[in-house]
Amino acid sequence: MKVTHLSSRLKENGGVDSLNKPMLSKQGTFGKDVSNKTQAIKSISIASLEHENKDQLLPPQPESIVRSLTHLLEKCEKYRISKDYMLHQPFINEKMRTILVDWMVDVCQKFKLLPQTIFMSVALVDRFLSKSRVERSRLQLVGVTSVMIIGKYEEIYPPTLKDFVSVCDNTYTAEEILEMESTILLAIDFDLTPPVSFVMLEYFQQFLGLEEKEFTFCHYFLESTLLDLSYLDFSPSELAAGTLYLTNKLFKKGFWSQKEEEVTEISTIRVKTCAKQIYAIMHSNEGLELSAIKCKFGSPKFHEVSRFRIEKVGN
């Protein structure tokens, strides 16, 4: 996989340029039997999110899983930052960040990194940008350094410093990346343990038992939200719950009952609000000329879920 050099796409006006990747050919529309990709999927409307669900019993879980989930839920609010942090960045804007995130997904794909690595890397970028002003020419440096830091933390065999210099087409030296590593770590007080939405999804999966394809749809929705700063309006647990709610609507499986509220500590009203925002982000992403996430989830490994598109329908 060739990772497109980023600096040429971070233009002065913050426009979004093509990644020059092949367009995805076949598409379905959310709704009819998702288990058969040769069939069209029936459209899902935001209005459908208003329907109530029936109670279902949750399977029992080991005490260790319950304790871990409780601990993560408590931490979700600790690391919340405002999506408005970009207002305090005089040299970069949201479009530039979107291009950067798309490029970071490409980098993680190239190095075959774990799913949580991209989520933690983007979270690290947002945490750093909320604390420090960054010039446009150094935005890619922040992104690649964040992937390197999280790679050391999460991966068994992380890419080398030389790999990260190469993936930036030698725009930055090894010394510049190491200097940025120190700057980022000092800015966040060396705290690399915030919960992220993908990890929360994995824990919720322990209780709700999604099938593989359903989990992949949730994963695709969560990764797509990273492109839009509005994802910061919700905690990681709310985002994970929102994708679960939305995916179950697609598969016509109602599950959000009082028991799910007790497990996630998220009210039905809040999870519906989050699901609607995820729906809106997915619809908005259709107009972006970015393809890393779509290409990634368009592969057979991910059940080609990105080949289905969201179509807005009436009530």
Side-chain angles (χ1 to χ4, degrees):
M1 178 189 296
K2 180 179 178 182
V3 179
T4 308
H5 182 49
L6 181 67
S7 59
S8 62
R9 293 188 282 135
L10 292 176
K11 293 186 176 180
E12 191 69 39
N13 61 1
V16 180
D17 296 333
S18 172
L19 287 178
N20 297 319
K21 289 185 178 179
M23 295 295 291
L24 298 175
S25 55
K26 55 181 180 178
Q27 285 189 331
T29 309
F30 280 120
K32 272 183 188 170
D33 185 7
V34 189
S35 63
N36 187 347
K37 67 186 178 189
T38 62
Q39 298 181 359
I41 305 181
K42 190 168 64 177
S43 301
I44 176 174
S45 70
I46 292 180
S48 69
L49 298 178
E50 299 300 332
H51 298 311
E52 294 298 332
N53 297 295
K54 296 181 180 179
D55 289 358
Q56 292 185 4
L57 295 177
L58 295 173
Q61 294 297 326
E63 183 64 26
S64 60
I65 297 295
V66 176
R67 287 199 304 268
S68 297
L69 178 57
T70 300
H71 174 67
L72 288 173
L73 288 171
E74 291 174 352
K75 293 182 65 176
C76 277
E77 291 300 323
K78 176 182 176 181
Y79 296 91
R80 293 286 294 273
I81 60 176
S82 171
K83 69 177 181 181
D84 296 328
Y85 76 75
M86 196 61 75
L87 297 175
H88 306 290
Q89 290 286 350
F91 308 113
I92 60 175
N93 56 39
E94 290 189 32
K95 288 185 178 180
M96 294 177 185
R97 177 199 170 276
T98 298
I99 293 172
L100 175 69
V101 171
D102 187 73
W103 178 81
M104 290 169 65
V105 171
D106 223 0
V107 170
C108 289
Q109 274 292 95
K110 173 183 173 62
F111 292 136
K112 300 180 180 179
L113 304 183
L114 296 171
Q116 59 264 36
T117 297
I118 182 60
F119 285 88
M120 294 182 69
S121 298
V122 173
L124 183 56
V125 167
D126 286 328
R127 289 172 65 198
F128 179 70
L129 293 181
S130 69
K131 297 174 180 289
S132 306
R133 292 185 177 183
V134 174
E135 295 182 3
R136 180 170 59 91
S137 61
R138 293 174 66 81
L139 182 59
Q140 184 183 16
L141 178 60
V142 172
V144 74
T145 305
S146 295
V147 176
M148 185 183 74
I149 291 171
I150 299 302
K152 291 179 182 180
Y153 185 82
E154 284 290 320
E155 305 290 334
I156 298 176
Y157 301 107
T160 64
L161 177 59
K162 182 180 179 181
D163 292 329
F164 287 112
V165 172
S166 177
V167 83
C168 292
D169 199 21
N170 296 296
T171 301
Y172 310 105
T173 64
E175 290 72 20
E176 286 178 306
I177 293 178
L178 291 175
E179 181 181 358
M180 180 57 72
E181 179 182 31
S182 298
T183 302
I184 292 175
L185 290 173
L186 287 170
I188 63 168
D189 296 324
F190 291 83
D191 187 353
L192 295 172
T193 59
V196 291
S197 56
F198 181 78
V199 173
M200 299 306 301
L201 175 64
E202 289 185 308
Y203 271 94
F204 292 160
Q205 158 76 339
Q206 298 288 324
F207 291 89
L208 303 172
L210 293 178
E211 296 178 1
E212 182 181 354
K213 186 171 289 188
E214 295 171 329
F215 184 87
T216 302
F217 265 98
C218 289
H219 183 184
Y220 172 50
F221 291 155
L222 281 180
E223 202 154 308
S224 297
T225 63
L226 297 178
L227 295 173
D228 195 310
L229 268 178
S230 66
Y231 90 97
L232 294 173
D233 282 336
F234 302 93
S235 71
S237 58
E238 289 172 337
L239 288 167
T243 59
L244 284 168
Y245 188 97
L246 186 57
T247 298
N248 274 269
K249 284 298 180 182
L250 300 182
F251 284 83
K252 301 186 182 302
K253 292 173 57 178
F255 74 86
W256 209 262
S257 65
Q258 183 178 355
K259 291 183 174 64
E260 281 71 35
E261 287 190 23
E262 293 174 355
V263 169
T264 63
E265 299 183 7
I266 303 171
S267 68
T268 303
I269 295 177
R270 184 62 175 171
V271 79
K272 285 180 180 179
T273 301
C274 184
K276 290 178 183 180
Q277 183 61 30
I278 294 169
Y279 178 99
I281 291 174
M282 296 300 299
H283 188 70
S284 175
N285 286 350
E286 290 293 325
L288 297 179
E289 296 180 6
L290 301 173
S291 59
I293 294 176
K294 289 183 179 179
C295 286
K296 173 181 176 179
F297 285 92
S299 66
K301 175 182 177 181
F302 293 98
H303 303 286
E304 302 182 353
V305 296
S306 67
R307 297 185 186 275
F308 300 98
R309 64 182 177 84
I310 297 177
E311 179 180 89
K312 189 173 182 179
V313 298
N315 295 339

